[in-house]
Amino acid sequence: MRKKNILICDDEQAIIDVLKLYFDTTLYNIYEANDGEAALRLLKSEPIDLALIDIMMPKINGLQLIQLVKHELSIPLLIISARYTLEDKLKGYEIGADDYITKPFEPLEVLAKVKNRLNVHTRAPQAIIVDDLKLDLYECKLTVGQTVFELTKVEFQVLKLLMESPNRVFTKAQIYTAGWDEYYEEDDNSIRVIMNRLREKIGKDRIQTIRGLGYRLSL
């Protein structure tokens, strides 16, 4: 079994050094970055399996970094931050972080969360299946019954969000963040266009508009 590649992104070198002491070098290769731009280069150039990301980094902050790579790289992204309010945590989860660890932290707890996330990711399915809908997570194709549809990047990301939690109502902000990888700025028309395209493929009654709230995939 090959060693897993872990990226630690933090502008405090002491934080990186402490975490490196706890990772078993027979199991992990550790990459490090002190700013968001360096982290982005490593994520795009190296086979990283998981990233630990601080929020307050120079050049590109941690939240921006997650938005840039979340839907391009299918890897766990864990925030480590001194920002500890519920609002901070909810924002982290909303943009796609897989976990949120507050500073100061126990290194052994971080290591345990990393192991758990890597185990879950290894067992991740290759497709999401809901009724007669099958969304291929690798080829980004949708099969409805016997019909196969090619999806745009935005269509894929929005449909993936809906299919992962059938019957759950997602807000426009959550849908926009998932589809366009950026903060919601009252772009209702773009969301309506994508929803209409998806309805044409999966059936108009399957995606319901919940007035004043958002949308859901209805079973």
Side-chain angles (χ1 to χ4, degrees):
M1 182 177 66
R2 76 170 180 85
K3 293 199 287 187
K4 297 295 186 179
N5 298 321
I6 308 298
L7 173 61
I8 306 175
C9 318
D10 201 300
D11 61 341
E12 295 183 58
Q13 186 62 42
I15 296 291
I16 296 177
D17 292 340
V18 167
L19 286 172
K20 285 169 63 177
L21 290 175
Y22 284 83
F23 281 102
D24 186 342
T25 57
T26 65
L27 298 176
Y28 304 102
N29 294 314
I30 304 301
Y31 294 77
E32 56 186 86
N34 297 118
D35 63 69
E37 285 186 358
L40 183 61
R41 286 195 298 270
L42 286 169
L43 285 166
K44 288 182 175 293
S45 63
E46 302 295 334
I48 303 298
D49 295 296
L50 180 145
L52 295 163
I53 301 172
D54 181 30
I55 292 180
M56 301 304 291
M57 291 191 297
K59 299 183 179 178
I60 299 175
N61 69 45
L63 297 180
Q64 293 170 330
L65 178 62
I66 290 173
Q67 287 180 305
L68 288 170
V69 303
K70 178 62 182 179
H71 297 291
E72 293 183 19
L73 303 174
S74 179
I75 64 171
L77 303 171
L78 282 63
I79 289 176
I80 295 184
S81 176
R83 299 172 65 167
Y84 59 85
T85 68
L86 178 60
E87 182 180 357
D88 290 326
K89 294 179 180 180
L90 291 178
K91 180 178 289 186
Y93 287 124
E94 184 173 310
I95 65 168
D98 295 283
D99 207 338
Y100 196 109
I101 303 165
T102 56
K103 299 177 181 177
F105 54 79
E106 289 291 340
L108 288 176
E109 181 183 3
V110 176
L111 183 59
K113 287 178 176 289
V114 167
K115 287 181 177 179
N116 180 64
R117 287 292 170 181
L118 288 173
N119 288 337
V120 171
H121 183 68
T122 300
R123 299 192 300 268
Q126 297 183 351
I128 301 174
I129 300 175
V130 178
D131 287 342
D132 65 336
L133 308 178
K134 179 180 178 181
L135 185 64
D136 189 306
L137 300 180
Y138 291 92
E139 295 187 4
C140 300
K141 293 180 181 180
L142 169 68
T143 302
V144 183
Q146 301 298 317
T147 305
V148 179
F149 294 96
E150 299 285 345
L151 299 176
T152 65
K153 177 184 176 182
V154 174
E155 289 174 343
F156 171 78
Q157 292 174 173
V158 171
L159 186 58
K160 179 175 181 289
L161 177 72
L162 297 175
M163 289 182 64
E164 284 177 333
S165 301
N167 292 322
R168 173 184 170 183
V169 178
F170 288 94
T171 66
K172 293 176 182 178
Q174 290 171 320
I175 291 168
Y176 195 85
T177 299
W180 284 266
D181 301 329
E182 57 188 48
Y183 290 120
Y184 179 57
E185 297 181 354
E186 301 298 325
D187 192 354
D188 291 356
N189 185 62
S190 294
I191 294 176
R192 283 196 296 269
V193 169
I194 287 299
M195 290 305 178
N196 286 335
R197 289 179 182 172
L198 291 175
R199 284 170 172 144
E200 291 175 358
K201 294 177 172 66
I202 70 174
K204 64 179 182 180
D205 295 330
R206 277 181 155 153
I207 297 179
Q208 294 184 340
T209 302
I210 311 300
R211 293 189 179 278
L213 293 175
Y215 296 85
R216 70 176 179 184
L217 177 66
S218 179
L219 297 183

